Structure formats: structure tokens, C-alpha cells
Amino acid sequence: MMRISRKRMLRGLLCCAVAAALQGPALAAEGFGAPLPPAQNETVLSSMYIAMPDGTRLAADIYRPSRNGVALPGRFPVVLHHTAARNRLATDGDRSGAGRFSLQMINLASHGYVYVQVERRGIAASFGVRRGYHDRTEAQDAYDLTQWAASQSWSDGKVGVYGCSNTGDAAMHFLTKPAPALKAVFAGCFNWDKYSGGMRGGILANWGTGPQGSYERDMQSTPVDGDADRGLLRQAALGHAANTDLLALWSGMPHRDDVSPLTGTAFWEEGSIGTYVQKVQASKVPVYIQGGWNDDFRAQAFITLANLTQPAKLVIGPWSHCESGEFPMAAEALRYFDYWLKGSRNGIMDEPPIRYYTINAPASDAWRGAASWPLPQARPLVRYLGKAAGGANAPRFGPFIGESRMPGGPAEEMDGAVAAGKGASRLSLGAAAPVAGSANASFSVDYKVSCAQGTGLGHTCPQDDKGLVFDSAPLAVDMEVTGHPLADLWITSTAADSPLFAYLEDVDPQGGIAMVSEGRLRASLRALDPAPYKLPGLPWHGFYKAGAQPLKAGEAARMVFDLLPVSYVFKAGHRYRLTITGADPREKLRREMSPAPVLSVLFDAAHPSHIILPVVGVTDSGKEY
């Protein structure tokens, strides 16, 4: 069967549909989606070390408005970027603000700002030791940098902050220890909850674990002015040998409340923005959140929005991590900072607080606005896992071992005809709840999972031949899913613990697969707990050590978890599919068992495994889906 990644499916869409949508009647000529205006000034760059109160020197690039190579006189608002690497790539290049817009943010200096990039302590050319990752030392540095920026001769005393990815976390941590001069934050692709970012579902399965440098890599960093022989850079790089290894930090804390021996603290909580929710709210500093439907951290954007009581906005489009496709994100950031730092009444805060792009929607209607999330018009569509009757149009199934008539019982070995699609029950997603009796499907965990680089959703890709697949019937009409899909599954396993991965996919009439969303949960950490902050209608797992529940042989376990949020139209004639596996290509430090565990998914009246899709436009009966 042909496989295509979601990224490939979207490539044509991004080239034409996004551009067309940006010209739609809902967008103002100088408002949301408008290109970056022509530069008002030139920019001049200087670099220096900024001394923190404890004596640690942080490397900084300072971009100032200029004419003829000379910085303009006067005072300007400042935008800080607490980064892991000062990046000078956009000084003479594309200034549109499209694509990987983080490289274009320095162009704010050509629009009447001083843009300051500061490498965090223990990283690149900065001195000091990185104790953890977004720890309270970095938060104190954020406070001190804000006050430093406000006190400079070229500053008007108003400071904004920008960041994306690990620097998005850093930007949000400015709010956990807010300085008086801080007036606005623009942050993308970050984690409100550090555990859910690093160990989502209790599984270390991300494509990155933070900026992990080496002496050789640090020596490739840009030295500050006056350090032509790189002597200061060498001193800083040598000092980084005492940095905490981030992979060791993350992998050494399988539970949320684990105390890391590397930091001496329960570091997931220390590094989480959500831990300081009251301080964030009390700051009253406005926040603009940027996300992408192809980003691993997109759920965190909506959780953050649910917990902000200050003025807040969110934009999310069909983008990968810290990218914005054809959308001029730097122009949007400029409008935002103009409003809060310059007092420009440009209407940005009068626009809908949430702007989201619906994939596969008509180009003229792809960008939508919303006042709240989840969307009040979304309705839950429940689809039960089960068996479908055979026939020419029966859904495809994965290479499961077989079916057991008793939940958790021994699976009956089936012959090779199963993999060829002969003589076996198909698995389906349907509206009918299971009736009395017992049924399940089982598969042996396949650890040989992989993805070609740069394919798939959040750096994973279809794994339909590695587990079970449950298909809907072909859709009679288009179906829009906007919100957070939920999985409510019953399983057994021959192992005491098993990671479970669930993928929501779009299958076209020719069999091509596009990844839409995915979720995961470690079986031993399935316990649900009260959330310490607001959630947009999601289940919350504490992942606490005391709450761990190993699986027992023959005993069914209920796994309730959310899949990453989406706004996606499944087209008529397509199927939607749930694929379930026991391994994922992104797993780090995977524990492979021999023999491989056998996982069973139960779908009987006592164990009604199902998914819930937030569907927009569904009728009361939902029969068309």
C-alpha cells in the first residue's frame, strides 16, 4: 500500500491554499496575514557580555535602528530573545517574516525596536553552568536581563520578549518572575507542563531533548566584539563541561514527582511554567501564543491559553515546529509589539483571540476565528472499536495475531493468511456500541519502527503494519474534526508495563495515508488525577510515583488519554483510521523485551473501547459520518 506523509500531502496546500486563504475577505489589508511592511530604518549590530548580579557573563547581540551605519539617537522599546544560539542569518537575507520566522525576528530593529539576543548561561558563548533546563536560575536571569534592557541609554523602558521552541519556554518563564519593565510576550511551540513536553504520556519519545552542546560545538559559536582570538569564548566553553546532561536529566525522572539527583529537586515541576500559574496570572503581562498543527507541543498552546487571565491571543496553522509556511509571522509579531510597546491602536486586540487554520477546508474559508476553545459548536462523535463484516469494501486490518474470546486470555495463533487479508475478521470504527459477549484483537509488539527523516507528523509516520488498524466506512460527506480527539481503550498485556501509541489517520480511496494526530500513554501510569490548573476538556494524568499501577496478567486495564488537537477536514470518500501500536520511531532509551509482549485491545460490552472526535457540523444522529 502506498504511504504518504502528512507533510507531503500538505506541500501543495501550503504553496497555494494558504496564500489564497490569506487573501480571503475575513483578513484586513493591514491586519492579520498582511506582509511585513517596508523597513523604516537600517540596522547596526554590536555584541557584548552582560554581567548578571552573580558575576556570570552572558553573550548578547544588540541590533539597533540605524542610518548609514550609525545607530539612531533616541530611546526605543526593546525586544529580548533569551536564546540558545545568537543567530545572524537574516541580516542581509529574506525580510518577509515567512518560513522559519524566528530567523527574521531581528528585523524588528528596522521597525523602531532594539532587538537583543542573549545566550542563556552555560550555552554557546555565555559563561556559567546550565544547572537544568529552564530552571529558577534562568528565571532570575530573565528578570535581571529585563531590568538591564530597560535601563540602557537606548531604551525607552518598555521591554517585550520573544521565543520559540526552547526559547519559547524561556520567554514564558519571564512571566514566572516578572520584572516591572516587562510589557508583552510572544512565544511559540513551548511547554506549559515540562513533563508533558519531555515525557508525554509517560514516554520519552520526542525528537529533541533540548540544546545539548559540546566543547567543539560551543567553539563554533560567535564570539562577542573584542574577542577576536576567541579567548573568552574558550573560557566559557570550558566551563560548560559542568553542565547537566539533559537526556540524563529527563530519562532519570520517569515520574512527575521524581527528584533528580542531578539537580536535587523535583525538576519536572521546577521547570514547568504551569507550576507558577498564579505568578503568571498576577503579572498581567499580555501573551501571544504561536503553534503549528504539525508540532509535537501544540496541545500545550491550548492548555496555556486556558490558564491565562491577562490579555492573550493564539494563532495556529498547518506548520511544523517554529515554522509558519507562507504566513508572515514576523509581521504578526510586529503588530503585537507595536500595540503593547508603542501604543499603536492597530486593531490586533479587537480581532478574535484565537486564529486557527483548518486543513483541507476551502482556501477562502481555511482561516477561522474563535472566541474560546474548545469550540462551542463542536460535538463529540463516539466511534467504537470492533469488527466489521467482510466484503469488497471491508476496511484493511493490521497483522494482528488473532482474537481471543475472553479478555486477556491466550491469543489463538492464526495462519499467514491474516497478513494477506484472507479469512479473518476486519477491525472497524462504528457507531454501534458493542453487545454482550467478549472479543478482542491481539498483536505482538514490533520494535522495528522507523521514519524517513523529515516525514510524518511531529517526526513520526504511519506504522499501520506494526499493530492494529480500525477503519471507518468511507465518508459520504466531508467531516471536520476541530479540537482534541480522545481515546478510551481497554487493553491487556503479557508484560507488566507497556507503552501504547494511538494514531488518527486519513486514508484516501487509493490507500494513501496521511497522519492527522497521535497520542500515547504508558500503561503503568494510566491513573487519572485532578489537574492543578485548567484544562480544555482533557483528562489529566499525574504520572506520580505512588500512582503507578503495573498490569496484571489477564486483567483488563482502561487507558484514557487525549490525542494532539487538530483542525482537519476528512474528505468524502476517505476513511478515518485509528492505528494502535506498542512502539514509536521517536522513543529514546526504548526497553525492548524478548519475547516481545503481546498486547490485546478489548471491544466488548464490558470493555467498550472507543474514540471521541470533536466534529463540527454533525447532526443529532451523526449518521452521515
Side-chain angles (χ1 to χ4, degrees), residues 581-592:
T581 73
D584 181 272
R586 296 165 298 177
E587 287 178 274
K588 293 179 173 64
L589 308 179
R590 179 191 294 123
R591 300 174 185 173
E592 297 188 4

Side-chain angles (χ1 to χ4, degrees), residues 175-329:
L175 298 168
T176 69
K177 198 175 181 65
L182 183 64
K183 304 301 179 185
V185 171
F186 191 105
C189 302
F190 58 86
N191 292 297
W192 174 262
D193 173 16
K194 185 67 73 178
Y195 187 94
S196 294
M199 295 280 287
R200 180 159 56 90
I203 303 166
L204 185 58
N206 286 344
W207 52 268
T209 51
Q212 190 67 49
S214 63
Y215 173 78
E216 292 74 19
R217 183 172 179 178
D218 286 344
M219 285 304 297
Q220 296 174 11
S221 302
T222 305
V224 302
D225 294 347
D227 187 27
D229 64 355
R230 295 178 175 252
L232 294 175
L233 176 60
R234 186 173 297 105
Q235 290 180 40
L238 288 170
H240 300 166
N243 282 357
T244 298
D245 181 272
L246 295 182
L247 181 57
L249 176 66
W250 290 24
S251 60
M253 300 181 295
H255 308 100
R256 184 188 298 275
D257 52 350
D258 283 335
V259 174
S260 171
L262 303 179
T263 64
T265 62
F267 197 78
W268 292 122
E269 295 298 273
E270 180 182 347
S272 289
I273 300 157
T275 300
Y276 315 98
V277 58
Q278 293 181 342
K279 292 184 178 180
V280 171
Q281 294 171 346
S283 74
K284 299 183 180 180
V285 174
V287 179
Y288 199 134
I289 305 164
Q290 179 259 327
W293 291 129
N294 199 26
D295 180 55
D296 232 12
F297 302 147
R298 60 189 188 263
Q300 298 290 301
F302 292 101
I303 294 173
T304 302
L305 187 68
N307 286 280
L308 296 179
T309 55
Q310 58 263 66
K313 294 182 69 69
L314 182 149
V315 60
I316 185 165
W319 313 311
S320 296
H321 190 66
C322 290
E323 296 185 357
S324 60
E326 298 297 318
F327 184 85
M329 191 64 70

Side-chain angles (χ1 to χ4, degrees), residues 61 63 86-94 100 103-104 106-107 117:
D61 280 350
Y63 296 84
R86 289 139 54 225
N87 199 314
R88 305 181 179 191
L89 295 182
T91 49
D92 298 313
D94 173 30
R100 197 166 183 84
L103 304 181
Q104 312 300 326
I106 60 174
N107 295 318
Q117 293 198 107

Side-chain angles (χ1 to χ4, degrees), residues 121-207:
R121 65 171 60 212
I123 300 177
S126 284
F127 284 79
V129 173
R130 184 190 58 211
R131 170 181 164 271
Y133 188 46
H134 306 121
D135 62 1
R136 301 319 289 159
T137 304
E138 284 191 10
Q140 182 62 51
D141 286 346
Y143 179 96
D144 294 330
L145 284 169
T146 304
Q147 293 303 92
W148 172 88
S151 67
Q152 299 306 297
S153 60
W154 31 257
S155 171
D156 69 0
K158 296 178 181 178
V159 179
V161 175
Y162 160 77
C164 194
S165 189
N166 75 82
T167 74
D169 280 66
M172 291 298 293
H173 270 290
F174 276 72
L175 298 168
T176 69
K177 198 175 181 65
L182 183 64
K183 304 301 179 185
V185 171
F186 191 105
C189 302
F190 58 86
N191 292 297
W192 174 262
D193 173 16
K194 185 67 73 178
Y195 187 94
S196 294
M199 295 280 287
R200 180 159 56 90
I203 303 166
L204 185 58
N206 286 344
W207 52 268

